[in-house]
PDB file of all heavy atoms in Angstrom:
ATOM      1  N   LEU A   7     108.795  91.962  76.763  1.00  0.00           N
ATOM      2  CA  LEU A   7     109.571  93.119  77.194  1.00  0.00           C
ATOM      3  C   LEU A   7     111.037  92.760  77.047  1.00  0.00           C
ATOM      4  O   LEU A   7     111.456  91.661  77.426  1.00  0.00           O
ATOM      5  CB  LEU A   7     109.239  93.474  78.642  1.00  0.00           C
ATOM      6  CG  LEU A   7     107.795  93.920  78.883  1.00  0.00           C
ATOM      7  CD1 LEU A   7     107.541  94.116  80.366  1.00  0.00           C
ATOM      8  CD2 LEU A   7     107.495  95.198  78.128  1.00  0.00           C
ATOM      9  N   VAL A   8     111.839  93.671  76.521  1.00  0.00           N
ATOM     10  CA  VAL A   8     113.242  93.403  76.238  1.00  0.00           C
ATOM     11  C   VAL A   8     114.007  93.095  77.512  1.00  0.00           C
ATOM     12  O   VAL A   8     114.753  92.134  77.587  1.00  0.00           O
ATOM     13  CB  VAL A   8     113.887  94.590  75.482  1.00  0.00           C
ATOM     14  CG1 VAL A   8     115.359  94.353  75.254  1.00  0.00           C
ATOM     15  CG2 VAL A   8     113.170  94.836  74.175  1.00  0.00           C
ATOM     16  N   GLU A   9     113.822  93.907  78.515  1.00  0.00           N
ATOM     17  CA  GLU A   9     114.530  93.715  79.777  1.00  0.00           C
ATOM     18  C   GLU A   9     113.522  93.362  80.854  1.00  0.00           C
ATOM     19  O   GLU A   9     112.435  93.935  80.910  1.00  0.00           O
ATOM     20  CB  GLU A   9     115.254  94.992  80.183  1.00  0.00           C
ATOM     21  CG  GLU A   9     116.332  95.409  79.204  1.00  0.00           C
ATOM     22  CD  GLU A   9     116.982  96.720  79.617  1.00  0.00           C
ATOM     23  OE1 GLU A   9     116.807  97.140  80.775  1.00  0.00           O
ATOM     24  OE2 GLU A   9     117.651  97.317  78.778  1.00  0.00           O
ATOM     25  N   PRO A  10     113.870  92.430  81.729  1.00  0.00           N
ATOM     26  CA  PRO A  10     112.946  92.136  82.829  1.00  0.00           C
ATOM     27  C   PRO A  10     112.796  93.352  83.736  1.00  0.00           C
ATOM     28  O   PRO A  10     113.734  94.126  83.903  1.00  0.00           O
ATOM     29  CB  PRO A  10     113.604  90.973  83.561  1.00  0.00           C
ATOM     30  CG  PRO A  10     115.028  90.995  83.143  1.00  0.00           C
ATOM     31  CD  PRO A  10     115.089  91.641  81.792  1.00  0.00           C
ATOM     32  N   MET A  11     111.620  93.514  84.277  1.00  0.00           N
ATOM     33  CA  MET A  11     111.387  94.650  85.165  1.00  0.00           C
ATOM     34  C   MET A  11     112.136  94.436  86.468  1.00  0.00           C
ATOM     35  O   MET A  11     112.126  93.348  87.031  1.00  0.00           O
ATOM     36  CB  MET A  11     109.895  94.809  85.432  1.00  0.00           C
ATOM     37  CG  MET A  11     109.145  95.265  84.214  1.00  0.00           C
ATOM     38  SD  MET A  11     107.352  95.438  84.398  1.00  0.00           S
ATOM     39  CE  MET A  11     107.060  95.684  86.087  1.00  0.00           C
ATOM     40  N   GLY A  12     112.780  95.463  86.922  1.00  0.00           N
ATOM     41  CA  GLY A  12     113.507  95.399  88.179  1.00  0.00           C
ATOM     42  C   GLY A  12     112.625  95.780  89.344  1.00  0.00           C
ATOM     43  O   GLY A  12     111.427  96.032  89.199  1.00  0.00           O
ATOM     44  N   LYS A  13     113.219  95.834  90.507  1.00  0.00           N
ATOM     45  CA  LYS A  13     112.502  96.204  91.715  1.00  0.00           C
ATOM     46  C   LYS A  13     112.137  97.691  91.643  1.00  0.00           C
ATOM     47  O   LYS A  13     112.953  98.514  91.223  1.00  0.00           O
ATOM     48  CB  LYS A  13     113.406  95.937  92.920  1.00  0.00           C
ATOM     49  CG  LYS A  13     112.772  96.212  94.249  1.00  0.00           C
ATOM     50  CD  LYS A  13     113.733  95.845  95.371  1.00  0.00           C
ATOM     51  CE  LYS A  13     113.119  96.162  96.708  1.00  0.00           C
ATOM     52  NZ  LYS A  13     114.031  95.826  97.808  1.00  0.00           N
ATOM     53  N   PRO A  14     110.920  98.059  92.038  1.00  0.00           N
ATOM     54  CA  PRO A  14     110.530  99.475  92.004  1.00  0.00           C
ATOM     55  C   PRO A  14     111.390 100.308  92.948  1.00  0.00           C
ATOM     56  O   PRO A  14     111.864  99.810  93.972  1.00  0.00           O
ATOM     57  CB  PRO A  14     109.079  99.465  92.479  1.00  0.00           C
ATOM     58  CG  PRO A  14     108.641  98.059  92.506  1.00  0.00           C
ATOM     59  CD  PRO A  14     109.854  97.199  92.510  1.00  0.00           C
ATOM     60  N   SER A  15     111.556 101.568  92.626  1.00  0.00           N
ATOM     61  CA  SER A  15     112.342 102.466  93.470  1.00  0.00           C
ATOM     62  C   SER A  15     111.672 102.641  94.832  1.00  0.00           C
ATOM     63  O   SER A  15     110.474 102.412  94.989  1.00  0.00           O
ATOM     64  CB  SER A  15     112.487 103.838  92.800  1.00  0.00           C
ATOM     65  OG  SER A  15     111.227 104.487  92.779  1.00  0.00           O
ATOM     66  N   GLN A  16     112.451 103.065  95.807  1.00  0.00           N
ATOM     67  CA  GLN A  16     111.943 103.302  97.153  1.00  0.00           C
ATOM     68  C   GLN A  16     110.814 104.324  97.126  1.00  0.00           C
ATOM     69  O   GLN A  16     109.795 104.165  97.800  1.00  0.00           O
ATOM     70  CB  GLN A  16     113.081 103.786  98.064  1.00  0.00           C
ATOM     71  CG  GLN A  16     112.677 104.021  99.499  1.00  0.00           C
ATOM     72  CD  GLN A  16     112.470 102.737 100.278  1.00  0.00           C
ATOM     73  OE1 GLN A  16     112.909 101.680  99.865  1.00  0.00           O
ATOM     74  NE2 GLN A  16     111.778 102.835 101.394  1.00  0.00           N
ATOM     75  N   SER A  17     110.958 105.364  96.325  1.00  0.00           N
ATOM     76  CA  SER A  17     109.943 106.404  96.229  1.00  0.00           C
ATOM     77  C   SER A  17     108.629 105.841  95.690  1.00  0.00           C
ATOM     78  O   SER A  17     107.549 106.151  96.201  1.00  0.00           O
ATOM     79  CB  SER A  17     110.453 107.526  95.321  1.00  0.00           C
ATOM     80  OG  SER A  17     109.436 108.449  95.065  1.00  0.00           O
ATOM     81  N   LEU A  18     108.712 105.006  94.664  1.00  0.00           N
ATOM     82  CA  LEU A  18     107.501 104.408  94.098  1.00  0.00           C
ATOM     83  C   LEU A  18     106.846 103.460  95.095  1.00  0.00           C
ATOM     84  O   LEU A  18     105.618 103.456  95.253  1.00  0.00           O
ATOM     85  CB  LEU A  18     107.822 103.661  92.801  1.00  0.00           C
ATOM     86  CG  LEU A  18     106.645 102.945  92.140  1.00  0.00           C
ATOM     87  CD1 LEU A  18     105.529 103.924  91.810  1.00  0.00           C
ATOM     88  CD2 LEU A  18     107.100 102.210  90.905  1.00  0.00           C
ATOM     89  N   GLN A  19     107.647 102.676  95.792  1.00  0.00           N
ATOM     90  CA  GLN A  19     107.091 101.766  96.799  1.00  0.00           C
ATOM     91  C   GLN A  19     106.325 102.546  97.864  1.00  0.00           C
ATOM     92  O   GLN A  19     105.206 102.180  98.229  1.00  0.00           O
ATOM     93  CB  GLN A  19     108.214 100.963  97.461  1.00  0.00           C
ATOM     94  CG  GLN A  19     108.871  99.957  96.547  1.00  0.00           C
ATOM     95  CD  GLN A  19     110.029  99.258  97.236  1.00  0.00           C
ATOM     96  OE1 GLN A  19     109.979  98.985  98.423  1.00  0.00           O
ATOM     97  NE2 GLN A  19     111.074  98.978  96.482  1.00  0.00           N
ATOM     98  N   GLU A  20     106.922 103.625  98.349  1.00  0.00           N
ATOM     99  CA  GLU A  20     106.276 104.429  99.389  1.00  0.00           C
ATOM    100  C   GLU A  20     104.992 105.064  98.857  1.00  0.00           C
ATOM    101  O   GLU A  20     103.971 105.093  99.551  1.00  0.00           O
ATOM    102  CB  GLU A  20     107.243 105.500  99.893  1.00  0.00           C
ATOM    103  CG  GLU A  20     106.776 106.208 101.135  1.00  0.00           C
ATOM    104  CD  GLU A  20     106.731 105.310 102.365  1.00  0.00           C
ATOM    105  OE1 GLU A  20     107.588 104.428 102.518  1.00  0.00           O
ATOM    106  OE2 GLU A  20     105.809 105.503 103.177  1.00  0.00           O
ATOM    107  N   THR A  21     105.023 105.548  97.638  1.00  0.00           N
ATOM    108  CA  THR A  21     103.833 106.157  97.042  1.00  0.00           C
ATOM    109  C   THR A  21     102.706 105.144  96.914  1.00  0.00           C
ATOM    110  O   THR A  21     101.550 105.436  97.247  1.00  0.00           O
ATOM    111  CB  THR A  21     104.181 106.742  95.659  1.00  0.00           C
ATOM    112  OG1 THR A  21     105.181 107.746  95.832  1.00  0.00           O
ATOM    113  CG2 THR A  21     102.965 107.345  94.990  1.00  0.00           C
ATOM    114  N   LEU A  22     103.020 103.947  96.442  1.00  0.00           N
ATOM    115  CA  LEU A  22     101.994 102.916  96.294  1.00  0.00           C
ATOM    116  C   LEU A  22     101.435 102.482  97.645  1.00  0.00           C
ATOM    117  O   LEU A  22     100.228 102.259  97.788  1.00  0.00           O
ATOM    118  CB  LEU A  22     102.553 101.714  95.533  1.00  0.00           C
ATOM    119  CG  LEU A  22     102.853 101.961  94.064  1.00  0.00           C
ATOM    120  CD1 LEU A  22     103.548 100.763  93.442  1.00  0.00           C
ATOM    121  CD2 LEU A  22     101.594 102.310  93.306  1.00  0.00           C
ATOM    122  N   LEU A  23     102.299 102.359  98.637  1.00  0.00           N
ATOM    123  CA  LEU A  23     101.820 101.987  99.963  1.00  0.00           C
ATOM    124  C   LEU A  23     100.929 103.080 100.561  1.00  0.00           C
ATOM    125  O   LEU A  23      99.937 102.790 101.224  1.00  0.00           O
ATOM    126  CB  LEU A  23     102.992 101.670 100.887  1.00  0.00           C
ATOM    127  CG  LEU A  23     103.751 100.381 100.548  1.00  0.00           C
ATOM    128  CD1 LEU A  23     104.997 100.263 101.411  1.00  0.00           C
ATOM    129  CD2 LEU A  23     102.878  99.162 100.706  1.00  0.00           C
ATOM    130  N   ASN A  24     101.276 104.339 100.318  1.00  0.00           N
ATOM    131  CA  ASN A  24     100.420 105.439 100.771  1.00  0.00           C
ATOM    132  C   ASN A  24      99.062 105.384 100.087  1.00  0.00           C
ATOM    133  O   ASN A  24      98.025 105.593 100.708  1.00  0.00           O
ATOM    134  CB  ASN A  24     101.088 106.793 100.515  1.00  0.00           C
ATOM    135  CG  ASN A  24     102.227 107.076 101.467  1.00  0.00           C
ATOM    136  OD1 ASN A  24     102.325 106.478 102.533  1.00  0.00           O
ATOM    137  ND2 ASN A  24     103.103 107.985 101.075  1.00  0.00           N
ATOM    138  N   LEU A  25      99.072 105.093  98.803  1.00  0.00           N
ATOM    139  CA  LEU A  25      97.825 104.976  98.053  1.00  0.00           C
ATOM    140  C   LEU A  25      96.951 103.856  98.624  1.00  0.00           C
ATOM    141  O   LEU A  25      95.756 104.038  98.854  1.00  0.00           O
ATOM    142  CB  LEU A  25      98.117 104.694  96.579  1.00  0.00           C
ATOM    143  CG  LEU A  25      96.883 104.396  95.754  1.00  0.00           C
ATOM    144  CD1 LEU A  25      96.317 105.666  95.180  1.00  0.00           C
ATOM    145  CD2 LEU A  25      97.199 103.407  94.677  1.00  0.00           C
ATOM    146  N   ILE A  26      97.553 102.708  98.888  1.00  0.00           N
ATOM    147  CA  ILE A  26      96.811 101.578  99.455  1.00  0.00           C
ATOM    148  C   ILE A  26      96.253 101.948 100.825  1.00  0.00           C
ATOM    149  O   ILE A  26      95.100 101.652 101.143  1.00  0.00           O
ATOM    150  CB  ILE A  26      97.701 100.323  99.538  1.00  0.00           C
ATOM    151  CG1 ILE A  26      97.982  99.794  98.128  1.00  0.00           C
ATOM    152  CG2 ILE A  26      97.050  99.238 100.396  1.00  0.00           C
ATOM    153  CD1 ILE A  26      99.041  98.701  98.076  1.00  0.00           C
ATOM    154  N   TYR A  27      97.047 102.625 101.633  1.00  0.00           N
ATOM    155  CA  TYR A  27      96.626 103.024 102.982  1.00  0.00           C
ATOM    156  C   TYR A  27      95.381 103.908 102.919  1.00  0.00           C
ATOM    157  O   TYR A  27      94.430 103.725 103.672  1.00  0.00           O
ATOM    158  CB  TYR A  27      97.774 103.746 103.675  1.00  0.00           C
ATOM    159  CG  TYR A  27      97.462 104.178 105.087  1.00  0.00           C
ATOM    160  CD1 TYR A  27      97.639 103.293 106.154  1.00  0.00           C
ATOM    161  CD2 TYR A  27      97.008 105.457 105.360  1.00  0.00           C
ATOM    162  CE1 TYR A  27      97.366 103.674 107.456  1.00  0.00           C
ATOM    163  CE2 TYR A  27      96.730 105.845 106.660  1.00  0.00           C
ATOM    164  CZ  TYR A  27      96.903 104.963 107.698  1.00  0.00           C
ATOM    165  OH  TYR A  27      96.623 105.348 108.978  1.00  0.00           O
ATOM    166  N   VAL A  28      95.386 104.870 102.002  1.00  0.00           N
ATOM    167  CA  VAL A  28      94.274 105.808 101.892  1.00  0.00           C
ATOM    168  C   VAL A  28      93.047 105.141 101.268  1.00  0.00           C
ATOM    169  O   VAL A  28      91.910 105.375 101.689  1.00  0.00           O
ATOM    170  CB  VAL A  28      94.703 107.046 101.070  1.00  0.00           C
ATOM    171  CG1 VAL A  28      93.524 107.917 100.725  1.00  0.00           C
ATOM    172  CG2 VAL A  28      95.748 107.839 101.826  1.00  0.00           C
ATOM    173  N   GLN A  29      93.241 104.299 100.259  1.00  0.00           N
ATOM    174  CA  GLN A  29      92.124 103.697  99.532  1.00  0.00           C
ATOM    175  C   GLN A  29      91.585 102.431 100.187  1.00  0.00           C
ATOM    176  O   GLN A  29      90.508 101.959  99.828  1.00  0.00           O
ATOM    177  CB  GLN A  29      92.562 103.377  98.094  1.00  0.00           C
ATOM    178  CG  GLN A  29      92.891 104.594  97.277  1.00  0.00           C
ATOM    179  CD  GLN A  29      91.679 105.474  97.049  1.00  0.00           C
ATOM    180  OE1 GLN A  29      90.574 105.002  96.908  1.00  0.00           O
ATOM    181  NE2 GLN A  29      91.893 106.782  97.027  1.00  0.00           N
ATOM    182  N   ARG A  30      92.300 101.882 101.124  1.00  0.00           N
ATOM    183  CA  ARG A  30      91.934 100.604 101.743  1.00  0.00           C
ATOM    184  C   ARG A  30      90.478 100.538 102.228  1.00  0.00           C
ATOM    185  O   ARG A  30      89.798  99.536 102.009  1.00  0.00           O
ATOM    186  CB  ARG A  30      92.900 100.294 102.878  1.00  0.00           C
ATOM    187  CG  ARG A  30      92.732  98.933 103.460  1.00  0.00           C
ATOM    188  CD  ARG A  30      93.724  98.720 104.604  1.00  0.00           C
ATOM    189  NE  ARG A  30      93.600  97.351 105.037  1.00  0.00           N
ATOM    190  CZ  ARG A  30      94.521  96.438 104.884  1.00  0.00           C
ATOM    191  NH1 ARG A  30      95.672  96.749 104.358  1.00  0.00           N
ATOM    192  NH2 ARG A  30      94.325  95.210 105.284  1.00  0.00           N
ATOM    193  N   PRO A  31      89.944 101.566 102.898  1.00  0.00           N
ATOM    194  CA  PRO A  31      88.563 101.457 103.372  1.00  0.00           C
ATOM    195  C   PRO A  31      87.529 101.367 102.239  1.00  0.00           C
ATOM    196  O   PRO A  31      86.415 100.923 102.461  1.00  0.00           O
ATOM    197  CB  PRO A  31      88.348 102.746 104.173  1.00  0.00           C
ATOM    198  CG  PRO A  31      89.705 103.256 104.490  1.00  0.00           C
ATOM    199  CD  PRO A  31      90.590 102.787 103.382  1.00  0.00           C
ATOM    200  N   TYR A  32      87.903 101.782 101.037  1.00  0.00           N
ATOM    201  CA  TYR A  32      86.938 101.877  99.948  1.00  0.00           C
ATOM    202  C   TYR A  32      87.057 100.775  98.900  1.00  0.00           C
ATOM    203  O   TYR A  32      86.154 100.603  98.092  1.00  0.00           O
ATOM    204  CB  TYR A  32      87.083 103.244  99.248  1.00  0.00           C
ATOM    205  CG  TYR A  32      87.085 104.378 100.237  1.00  0.00           C
ATOM    206  CD1 TYR A  32      88.270 105.027 100.565  1.00  0.00           C
ATOM    207  CD2 TYR A  32      85.917 104.771 100.876  1.00  0.00           C
ATOM    208  CE1 TYR A  32      88.281 106.065 101.484  1.00  0.00           C
ATOM    209  CE2 TYR A  32      85.921 105.803 101.799  1.00  0.00           C
ATOM    210  CZ  TYR A  32      87.113 106.441 102.096  1.00  0.00           C
ATOM    211  OH  TYR A  32      87.105 107.453 103.010  1.00  0.00           O
ATOM    212  N   TRP A  33      88.174 100.055  98.890  1.00  0.00           N
ATOM    213  CA  TRP A  33      88.414  99.026  97.877  1.00  0.00           C
ATOM    214  C   TRP A  33      88.553  97.673  98.569  1.00  0.00           C
ATOM    215  O   TRP A  33      89.486  97.453  99.341  1.00  0.00           O
ATOM    216  CB  TRP A  33      89.688  99.322  97.093  1.00  0.00           C
ATOM    217  CG  TRP A  33      89.550 100.463  96.145  1.00  0.00           C
ATOM    218  CD1 TRP A  33      89.495 101.779  96.465  1.00  0.00           C
ATOM    219  CD2 TRP A  33      89.452 100.389  94.728  1.00  0.00           C
ATOM    220  NE1 TRP A  33      89.380 102.536  95.335  1.00  0.00           N
ATOM    221  CE2 TRP A  33      89.353 101.707  94.258  1.00  0.00           C
ATOM    222  CE3 TRP A  33      89.459  99.338  93.817  1.00  0.00           C
ATOM    223  CZ2 TRP A  33      89.238 101.997  92.906  1.00  0.00           C
ATOM    224  CZ3 TRP A  33      89.347  99.638  92.475  1.00  0.00           C
ATOM    225  CH2 TRP A  33      89.239 100.950  92.029  1.00  0.00           C
ATOM    226  N   GLN A  34      87.652  96.775  98.277  1.00  0.00           N
ATOM    227  CA  GLN A  34      87.652  95.469  98.920  1.00  0.00           C
ATOM    228  C   GLN A  34      88.937  94.696  98.652  1.00  0.00           C
ATOM    229  O   GLN A  34      89.440  93.993  99.523  1.00  0.00           O
ATOM    230  CB  GLN A  34      86.448  94.668  98.429  1.00  0.00           C
ATOM    231  CG  GLN A  34      86.232  93.390  99.202  1.00  0.00           C
ATOM    232  CD  GLN A  34      84.957  92.690  98.794  1.00  0.00           C
ATOM    233  OE1 GLN A  34      84.338  93.025  97.801  1.00  0.00           O
ATOM    234  NE2 GLN A  34      84.566  91.700  99.567  1.00  0.00           N
ATOM    235  N   CYS A  35      89.527  94.854  97.472  1.00  0.00           N
ATOM    236  CA  CYS A  35      90.745  94.116  97.144  1.00  0.00           C
ATOM    237  C   CYS A  35      91.896  94.488  98.082  1.00  0.00           C
ATOM    238  O   CYS A  35      92.742  93.659  98.402  1.00  0.00           O
ATOM    239  CB  CYS A  35      91.156  94.341  95.693  1.00  0.00           C
ATOM    240  SG  CYS A  35      91.529  96.059  95.288  1.00  0.00           S
ATOM    241  N   PHE A  36      91.944  95.723  98.579  1.00  0.00           N
ATOM    242  CA  PHE A  36      92.987  96.132  99.507  1.00  0.00           C
ATOM    243  C   PHE A  36      92.733  95.623 100.917  1.00  0.00           C
ATOM    244  O   PHE A  36      93.645  95.530 101.722  1.00  0.00           O
ATOM    245  CB  PHE A  36      93.136  97.655  99.539  1.00  0.00           C
ATOM    246  CG  PHE A  36      93.677  98.249  98.270  1.00  0.00           C
ATOM    247  CD1 PHE A  36      93.245  99.489  97.844  1.00  0.00           C
ATOM    248  CD2 PHE A  36      94.606  97.574  97.496  1.00  0.00           C
ATOM    249  CE1 PHE A  36      93.740 100.044  96.677  1.00  0.00           C
ATOM    250  CE2 PHE A  36      95.108  98.115  96.331  1.00  0.00           C
ATOM    251  CZ  PHE A  36      94.660  99.353  95.925  1.00  0.00           C
ATOM    252  N   GLN A  37      91.494  95.315 101.234  1.00  0.00           N
ATOM    253  CA  GLN A  37      91.160  94.834 102.569  1.00  0.00           C
ATOM    254  C   GLN A  37      91.603  93.390 102.777  1.00  0.00           C
ATOM    255  O   GLN A  37      91.722  92.935 103.899  1.00  0.00           O
ATOM    256  CB  GLN A  37      89.657  94.972 102.810  1.00  0.00           C
ATOM    257  CG  GLN A  37      89.224  96.426 102.846  1.00  0.00           C
ATOM    258  CD  GLN A  37      87.727  96.601 102.818  1.00  0.00           C
ATOM    259  OE1 GLN A  37      86.975  95.644 102.905  1.00  0.00           O
ATOM    260  NE2 GLN A  37      87.282  97.839 102.680  1.00  0.00           N
ATOM    261  N   HIS A  38      91.853  92.671 101.706  1.00  0.00           N
ATOM    262  CA  HIS A  38      92.246  91.269 101.811  1.00  0.00           C
ATOM    263  C   HIS A  38      93.753  91.077 101.873  1.00  0.00           C
ATOM    264  O   HIS A  38      94.217  89.982 102.122  1.00  0.00           O
ATOM    265  CB  HIS A  38      91.687  90.462 100.632  1.00  0.00           C
ATOM    266  CG  HIS A  38      90.196  90.386 100.642  1.00  0.00           C
ATOM    267  ND1 HIS A  38      89.486  89.699 101.600  1.00  0.00           N
ATOM    268  CD2 HIS A  38      89.281  90.946  99.830  1.00  0.00           C
ATOM    269  CE1 HIS A  38      88.198  89.818 101.362  1.00  0.00           C
ATOM    270  NE2 HIS A  38      88.043  90.572 100.298  1.00  0.00           N
ATOM    271  N   GLN A  39      94.514  92.090 101.599  1.00  0.00           N
ATOM    272  CA  GLN A  39      95.964  91.931 101.639  1.00  0.00           C
ATOM    273  C   GLN A  39      96.515  92.555 102.905  1.00  0.00           C
ATOM    274  O   GLN A  39      95.870  93.390 103.523  1.00  0.00           O
ATOM    275  CB  GLN A  39      96.618  92.534 100.402  1.00  0.00           C
ATOM    276  CG  GLN A  39      96.649  94.048 100.375  1.00  0.00           C
ATOM    277  CD  GLN A  39      97.237  94.566  99.096  1.00  0.00           C
ATOM    278  OE1 GLN A  39      96.683  94.367  98.045  1.00  0.00           O
ATOM    279  NE2 GLN A  39      98.365  95.219  99.194  1.00  0.00           N
ATOM    280  N   GLY A  40      97.698  92.120 103.257  1.00  0.00           N
ATOM    281  CA  GLY A  40      98.333  92.643 104.458  1.00  0.00           C
ATOM    282  C   GLY A  40      98.741  94.084 104.282  1.00  0.00           C
ATOM    283  O   GLY A  40      98.581  94.666 103.217  1.00  0.00           O
ATOM    284  N   THR A  41      99.290  94.661 105.333  1.00  0.00           N
ATOM    285  CA  THR A  41      99.826  96.009 105.243  1.00  0.00           C
ATOM    286  C   THR A  41     101.325  95.928 105.480  1.00  0.00           C
ATOM    287  O   THR A  41     101.819  95.002 106.115  1.00  0.00           O
ATOM    288  CB  THR A  41      99.168  96.939 106.283  1.00  0.00           C
ATOM    289  OG1 THR A  41      99.292  96.350 107.565  1.00  0.00           O
ATOM    290  CG2 THR A  41      97.714  97.164 105.964  1.00  0.00           C
ATOM    291  N   TYR A  42     102.059  96.889 104.957  1.00  0.00           N
ATOM    292  CA  TYR A  42     103.513  96.815 104.942  1.00  0.00           C
ATOM    293  C   TYR A  42     104.120  98.163 105.270  1.00  0.00           C
ATOM    294  O   TYR A  42     103.431  99.150 105.375  1.00  0.00           O
ATOM    295  CB  TYR A  42     104.042  96.397 103.563  1.00  0.00           C
ATOM    296  CG  TYR A  42     103.106  95.563 102.772  1.00  0.00           C
ATOM    297  CD1 TYR A  42     102.351  96.092 101.750  1.00  0.00           C
ATOM    298  CD2 TYR A  42     102.970  94.207 103.066  1.00  0.00           C
ATOM    299  CE1 TYR A  42     101.483  95.302 101.034  1.00  0.00           C
ATOM    300  CE2 TYR A  42     102.114  93.418 102.348  1.00  0.00           C
ATOM    301  CZ  TYR A  42     101.360  93.972 101.337  1.00  0.00           C
ATOM    302  OH  TYR A  42     100.496  93.188 100.634  1.00  0.00           O
TER     303      TYR A  42
END
């Protein structure tokens, strides 16, 4: 990749955390990580 990836935007971070929160009961990989 030409440029290193920067930190995700606040909106993207919140969206991903919401996704993890909702999917956590159904995906074992999310059950092993902390919550934020």
Side-chain angles (χ1 to χ4, degrees):
L7 296 175
V8 177
E9 297 177 15
M11 291 178 24
K13 183 177 178 180
S15 69
Q16 182 74 17
S17 172
L18 178 59
Q19 291 176 36
E20 191 67 36
T21 299
L22 291 174
L23 290 173
N24 286 340
L25 173 90
I26 290 170
Y27 181 85
V28 170
Q29 295 295 325
R30 188 181 185 112
Y32 310 104
W33 287 74
Q34 189 174 12
C35 61
F36 292 146
Q37 294 169 7
H38 294 292
Q39 74 183 64
T41 53
Y42 332 102

